[in-house]
Amino acid sequence: MARITASVYTSHVPAIGAALDLGKTAEPYWQKVFAGYEPSKQWLRENRPDVIFLVFNDHATAFSLEMIPTFAIGTAAHYAIADEGWGPRPVPPVQGHPELAAHIAQSVIQDDFDLTIVNKMDVDHGLTVPLSLMCGALDKDTGACPCPVIPFAVNVVQYPVPSGRRCFALGRAIRKAVESFDEPLNVQIWGTGGMSHQLQGPRAGLINAEWDNRFLDRLISEPEALAQVPHIEYVREAGSEGIELVMWLIARGAMSDVSRGAMSDVDAGGAPPRVAHRFYHVPASNTAVGHLILENA
Ligand code: DHB
Ligand code: FE
């Protein structure tokens, strides 16, 4: 059977992609950001997954404001890189895993989460920047991304957006789906977006390092309680775009210390995960960069 072995959490600032693509990573402004991901790239080389289940948000590129799925699973064999206004990033298309994606869709929808199935989708910085950060600058011939990716898009752009509680419960259902796939795949789940940032209005530029670090603490040690935090707290404390952080709860809910509750009467939840890496840095564009790697015990 397939297993989720680890979860990765990271911000997705688009300017990070531009810094990589334009060769600016050694500049003083960017040097500290990229230094924080050096251990992560090493970790990924040593802990190569067979598939990455990548929870991200589209920024009105694949889905315009005409149609906004709350949760959308990518079931395609590959995904083109979106043009976000300056031309697509010079990175290879992302390879999908249609068989596992279709299986997860089947299982999760049967568990009463009404996913949108997406057979064609361009992917924007929400997906490509986390991949670039973890894998290094993507090689244009081979593609440095080490394995197929299942993109899972969450609406955190247009209200109403899903609650942290719903996202956490969805993570549980995704874990159950992965563990019922009949191939011995090593699957990682990544939660992306955040941390505190606000891109518009009188509070544009808001960063809240204290709240962000408390979020990281609680994500590690009391994720179920963290999942109860209402939207209004994210917006008040972490800015309007800080709401992207609810996506991290999907990845955390899929870890093996989380009881599957009503979904299984035999699984009370295992030992807490091991923190393989933690990093926090301000500034990067308008956003506080937060990053965590958790390994299942
Ligand atoms: C920035 C951050 C985002 O999450 C985003 O989607 C766009 C811009 C920024 O920090 O500039
Ligand atoms: Fe964003």
Side-chain angles (χ1 to χ4, degrees):
M1 84 186 197
R3 280 212 174 275
I4 293 176
T5 52
S7 52
V8 172
Y9 308 83
T10 179
S11 307
H12 67 212
V13 187
I16 289 176
L20 274 165
D21 301 340
L22 300 172
K24 295 185 173 181
T25 56
E27 287 185 1
Y29 182 86
W30 289 112
Q31 198 273 332
K32 284 202 182 100
V33 175
F34 290 104
Y37 286 82
E38 283 304 319
S40 318
K41 290 192 284 180
Q42 182 61 30
W43 177 86
L44 194 62
R45 282 191 288 271
E46 289 164 4
N47 296 275
R48 261 177 193 264
D50 298 309
V51 185
I52 297 168
F53 188 94
L54 204 157
V55 181
F56 78 111
N57 73 292
D58 177 72
H59 298 75
T61 41
F63 308 121
S64 73
L65 293 181
E66 290 175 2
M67 204 184 292
I68 306 162
T70 301
F71 296 119
I73 186 163
T75 45
H78 43 80
Y79 303 89
I81 307 302
D83 184 340
E84 300 181 59
W86 290 270
R89 288 189 60 210
V91 295
V94 174
Q95 300 305 308
H97 198 302
E99 297 79 16
L100 180 59
H103 170 83
I104 293 173
Q106 162 79 17
S107 175
V108 168
I109 291 171
Q110 290 303 312
D111 272 330
D112 303 333
F113 292 86
D114 306 313
L115 309 184
T116 298
I117 294 164
V118 183
N119 291 315
K120 186 170 189 291
M121 170 167 67
D122 292 355
V123 289
D124 70 11
H125 67 271
L127 186 126
T128 65
V129 166
L131 279 180
S132 296
L133 276 170
M134 291 297 297
C135 307
L138 298 173
D139 183 287
K140 66 181 180 318
D141 298 319
T142 60
C145 175
C147 68
V149 173
I150 298 175
F152 190 90
V154 180
N155 168 40
V156 286
V157 169
Q158 171 72 57
Y159 280 83
V161 306
S163 67
R165 195 171 52 246
R166 185 69 174 157
C167 288
F168 193 69
L170 174 58
R172 286 186 169 125
I174 291 167
R175 175 179 156 215
K176 177 181 167 192
V178 168
E179 291 181 354
S180 62
F181 188 67
D182 200 14
E183 259 184 65
L185 297 178
N186 171 350
V187 179
Q188 289 178 6
I189 184 164
W190 295 12
T192 65
M195 295 200 88
S196 58
H197 63 304
Q198 171 142 348
L199 301 178
Q200 69 267 303
R203 297 204 311 161
L206 177 143
I207 299 287
N208 188 344
E210 195 181 326
W211 191 89
D212 286 340
N213 276 290
R214 177 105 181 97
F215 184 93
L216 292 170
D217 292 341
R218 298 186 75 196
L219 191 74
I220 296 166
S221 61
E222 45 175 45
E224 191 142 18
L226 181 64
Q228 308 304 318
V229 169
H231 289 146
I232 191 69
E233 181 176 328
Y234 288 88
V235 176
R236 187 181 63 231
E237 300 296 332
S240 50
E241 278 63 49
I243 193 66
E244 289 178 345
L245 283 168
V246 293
M247 295 187 287
W248 294 28
L249 290 162
I250 297 178
R252 188 65 183 89
M255 293 296 281
S256 61
D257 63 320
V258 176
S259 158
R260 282 202 252 143
M263 285 184 178
S264 162
D265 52 10
V266 292
D267 184 358
R274 191 182 83 82
V275 181
H277 184 47
R278 177 174 174 162
F279 174 63
Y280 184 79
H281 178 77
V282 178
S285 189
N286 304 291
T287 303
V289 169
H291 174 41
L292 202 57
I293 300 177
L294 300 182
E295 292 173 350
N296 268 332

PDB file of all heavy atoms in Angstrom, residues 215-230:
ATOM      1  N   PHE A 215       1.869  29.976  15.206  1.00  0.00           N
ATOM      2  CA  PHE A 215       1.194  29.070  14.259  1.00  0.00           C
ATOM      3  C   PHE A 215       2.083  27.855  13.984  1.00  0.00           C
ATOM      4  O   PHE A 215       1.609  26.706  13.997  1.00  0.00           O
ATOM      5  CB  PHE A 215       0.880  29.818  12.952  1.00  0.00           C
ATOM      6  CG  PHE A 215       0.098  29.002  11.943  1.00  0.00           C
ATOM      7  CD1 PHE A 215      -1.292  29.067  11.899  1.00  0.00           C
ATOM      8  CD2 PHE A 215       0.745  28.162  11.038  1.00  0.00           C
ATOM      9  CE1 PHE A 215      -2.016  28.310  10.971  1.00  0.00           C
ATOM     10  CE2 PHE A 215       0.032  27.400  10.118  1.00  0.00           C
ATOM     11  CZ  PHE A 215      -1.354  27.478  10.089  1.00  0.00           C
ATOM     12  N   LEU A 216       3.377  28.090  13.772  1.00  0.00           N
ATOM     13  CA  LEU A 216       4.296  26.967  13.511  1.00  0.00           C
ATOM     14  C   LEU A 216       4.358  26.038  14.727  1.00  0.00           C
ATOM     15  O   LEU A 216       4.299  24.813  14.583  1.00  0.00           O
ATOM     16  CB  LEU A 216       5.699  27.497  13.171  1.00  0.00           C
ATOM     17  CG  LEU A 216       5.835  28.237  11.830  1.00  0.00           C
ATOM     18  CD1 LEU A 216       7.203  28.919  11.722  1.00  0.00           C
ATOM     19  CD2 LEU A 216       5.614  27.297  10.656  1.00  0.00           C
ATOM     20  N   ASP A 217       4.471  26.637  15.932  1.00  0.00           N
ATOM     21  CA  ASP A 217       4.496  25.822  17.164  1.00  0.00           C
ATOM     22  C   ASP A 217       3.262  24.934  17.254  1.00  0.00           C
ATOM     23  O   ASP A 217       3.346  23.735  17.529  1.00  0.00           O
ATOM     24  CB  ASP A 217       4.493  26.715  18.409  1.00  0.00           C
ATOM     25  CG  ASP A 217       5.780  27.505  18.578  1.00  0.00           C
ATOM     26  OD1 ASP A 217       6.799  27.136  17.974  1.00  0.00           O
ATOM     27  OD2 ASP A 217       5.739  28.520  19.325  1.00  0.00           O
ATOM     28  N   ARG A 218       2.107  25.564  17.034  1.00  0.00           N
ATOM     29  CA  ARG A 218       0.844  24.828  17.203  1.00  0.00           C
ATOM     30  C   ARG A 218       0.621  23.820  16.081  1.00  0.00           C
ATOM     31  O   ARG A 218       0.026  22.766  16.306  1.00  0.00           O
ATOM     32  CB  ARG A 218      -0.344  25.805  17.275  1.00  0.00           C
ATOM     33  CG  ARG A 218      -0.258  26.754  18.449  1.00  0.00           C
ATOM     34  CD  ARG A 218      -1.505  27.600  18.575  1.00  0.00           C
ATOM     35  NE  ARG A 218      -2.628  26.833  19.102  1.00  0.00           N
ATOM     36  CZ  ARG A 218      -3.903  27.219  19.022  1.00  0.00           C
ATOM     37  NH1 ARG A 218      -4.224  28.353  18.416  1.00  0.00           N
ATOM     38  NH2 ARG A 218      -4.858  26.467  19.528  1.00  0.00           N
ATOM     39  N   LEU A 219       1.116  24.138  14.887  1.00  0.00           N
ATOM     40  CA  LEU A 219       0.992  23.182  13.778  1.00  0.00           C
ATOM     41  C   LEU A 219       1.730  21.897  14.131  1.00  0.00           C
ATOM     42  O   LEU A 219       1.280  20.798  13.816  1.00  0.00           O
ATOM     43  CB  LEU A 219       1.550  23.785  12.481  1.00  0.00           C
ATOM     44  CG  LEU A 219       1.232  22.973  11.222  1.00  0.00           C
ATOM     45  CD1 LEU A 219      -0.240  23.120  10.815  1.00  0.00           C
ATOM     46  CD2 LEU A 219       2.127  23.384  10.053  1.00  0.00           C
ATOM     47  N   ILE A 220       2.864  22.046  14.808  1.00  0.00           N
ATOM     48  CA  ILE A 220       3.646  20.871  15.202  1.00  0.00           C
ATOM     49  C   ILE A 220       2.931  20.110  16.321  1.00  0.00           C
ATOM     50  O   ILE A 220       2.722  18.905  16.225  1.00  0.00           O
ATOM     51  CB  ILE A 220       5.058  21.293  15.671  1.00  0.00           C
ATOM     52  CG1 ILE A 220       5.849  21.924  14.513  1.00  0.00           C
ATOM     53  CG2 ILE A 220       5.818  20.098  16.263  1.00  0.00           C
ATOM     54  CD1 ILE A 220       7.100  22.666  14.946  1.00  0.00           C
ATOM     55  N   SER A 221       2.544  20.842  17.386  1.00  0.00           N
ATOM     56  CA  SER A 221       2.201  20.131  18.620  1.00  0.00           C
ATOM     57  C   SER A 221       0.713  20.048  18.940  1.00  0.00           C
ATOM     58  O   SER A 221       0.308  19.188  19.705  1.00  0.00           O
ATOM     59  CB  SER A 221       2.933  20.784  19.789  1.00  0.00           C
ATOM     60  OG  SER A 221       2.512  22.123  19.903  1.00  0.00           O
ATOM     61  N   GLU A 222      -0.118  20.956  18.385  1.00  0.00           N
ATOM     62  CA  GLU A 222      -1.558  20.855  18.669  1.00  0.00           C
ATOM     63  C   GLU A 222      -2.372  21.248  17.436  1.00  0.00           C
ATOM     64  O   GLU A 222      -3.159  22.190  17.472  1.00  0.00           O
ATOM     65  CB  GLU A 222      -1.946  21.704  19.889  1.00  0.00           C
ATOM     66  CG  GLU A 222      -1.356  23.104  19.931  1.00  0.00           C
ATOM     67  CD  GLU A 222      -1.884  23.926  21.097  1.00  0.00           C
ATOM     68  OE1 GLU A 222      -1.954  23.391  22.212  1.00  0.00           O
ATOM     69  OE2 GLU A 222      -2.240  25.103  20.874  1.00  0.00           O
ATOM     70  N   PRO A 223      -2.184  20.481  16.341  1.00  0.00           N
ATOM     71  CA  PRO A 223      -2.827  20.853  15.078  1.00  0.00           C
ATOM     72  C   PRO A 223      -4.352  20.822  15.140  1.00  0.00           C
ATOM     73  O   PRO A 223      -5.008  21.630  14.489  1.00  0.00           O
ATOM     74  CB  PRO A 223      -2.290  19.811  14.094  1.00  0.00           C
ATOM     75  CG  PRO A 223      -1.878  18.651  14.923  1.00  0.00           C
ATOM     76  CD  PRO A 223      -1.388  19.243  16.207  1.00  0.00           C
ATOM     77  N   GLU A 224      -4.888  19.905  15.928  1.00  0.00           N
ATOM     78  CA  GLU A 224      -6.355  19.795  15.979  1.00  0.00           C
ATOM     79  C   GLU A 224      -6.967  21.067  16.582  1.00  0.00           C
ATOM     80  O   GLU A 224      -7.977  21.575  16.093  1.00  0.00           O
ATOM     81  CB  GLU A 224      -6.748  18.562  16.790  1.00  0.00           C
ATOM     82  CG  GLU A 224      -8.205  18.229  16.671  1.00  0.00           C
ATOM     83  CD  GLU A 224      -8.437  16.718  16.611  1.00  0.00           C
ATOM     84  OE1 GLU A 224      -7.541  15.931  16.998  1.00  0.00           O
ATOM     85  OE2 GLU A 224      -9.538  16.339  16.179  1.00  0.00           O
ATOM     86  N   ALA A 225      -6.330  21.582  17.640  1.00  0.00           N
ATOM     87  CA  ALA A 225      -6.812  22.836  18.242  1.00  0.00           C
ATOM     88  C   ALA A 225      -6.575  24.002  17.282  1.00  0.00           C
ATOM     89  O   ALA A 225      -7.427  24.889  17.144  1.00  0.00           O
ATOM     90  CB  ALA A 225      -6.091  23.080  19.572  1.00  0.00           C
ATOM     91  N   LEU A 226      -5.455  24.005  16.604  1.00  0.00           N
ATOM     92  CA  LEU A 226      -5.152  25.075  15.638  1.00  0.00           C
ATOM     93  C   LEU A 226      -6.206  25.124  14.525  1.00  0.00           C
ATOM     94  O   LEU A 226      -6.555  26.200  14.031  1.00  0.00           O
ATOM     95  CB  LEU A 226      -3.763  24.841  15.030  1.00  0.00           C
ATOM     96  CG  LEU A 226      -3.267  25.876  14.020  1.00  0.00           C
ATOM     97  CD1 LEU A 226      -3.095  27.253  14.666  1.00  0.00           C
ATOM     98  CD2 LEU A 226      -1.946  25.429  13.388  1.00  0.00           C
ATOM     99  N   ALA A 227      -6.698  23.949  14.160  1.00  0.00           N
ATOM    100  CA  ALA A 227      -7.688  23.879  13.082  1.00  0.00           C
ATOM    101  C   ALA A 227      -9.012  24.562  13.462  1.00  0.00           C
ATOM    102  O   ALA A 227      -9.837  24.832  12.591  1.00  0.00           O
ATOM    103  CB  ALA A 227      -7.933  22.421  12.693  1.00  0.00           C
ATOM    104  N   GLN A 228      -9.212  24.839  14.751  1.00  0.00           N
ATOM    105  CA  GLN A 228     -10.457  25.505  15.184  1.00  0.00           C
ATOM    106  C   GLN A 228     -10.388  27.024  15.023  1.00  0.00           C
ATOM    107  O   GLN A 228     -11.393  27.719  15.187  1.00  0.00           O
ATOM    108  CB  GLN A 228     -10.759  25.181  16.660  1.00  0.00           C
ATOM    109  CG  GLN A 228     -10.763  23.700  17.006  1.00  0.00           C
ATOM    110  CD  GLN A 228     -11.722  22.898  16.151  1.00  0.00           C
ATOM    111  OE1 GLN A 228     -12.836  23.326  15.880  1.00  0.00           O
ATOM    112  NE2 GLN A 228     -11.267  21.733  15.686  1.00  0.00           N
ATOM    113  N   VAL A 229      -9.202  27.564  14.739  1.00  0.00           N
ATOM    114  CA  VAL A 229      -9.051  29.024  14.612  1.00  0.00           C
ATOM    115  C   VAL A 229      -9.939  29.528  13.466  1.00  0.00           C
ATOM    116  O   VAL A 229      -9.876  28.997  12.360  1.00  0.00           O
ATOM    117  CB  VAL A 229      -7.565  29.384  14.346  1.00  0.00           C
ATOM    118  CG1 VAL A 229      -7.415  30.853  13.945  1.00  0.00           C
ATOM    119  CG2 VAL A 229      -6.727  29.073  15.588  1.00  0.00           C
ATOM    120  N   PRO A 230     -10.793  30.550  13.724  1.00  0.00           N
ATOM    121  CA  PRO A 230     -11.700  31.032  12.680  1.00  0.00           C
ATOM    122  C   PRO A 230     -10.993  31.961  11.680  1.00  0.00           C
ATOM    123  O   PRO A 230      -9.947  32.534  11.981  1.00  0.00           O
ATOM    124  CB  PRO A 230     -12.752  31.811  13.473  1.00  0.00           C
ATOM    125  CG  PRO A 230     -12.033  32.272  14.696  1.00  0.00           C
ATOM    126  CD  PRO A 230     -10.995  31.225  15.017  1.00  0.00           C
TER     127      PRO A 230
END
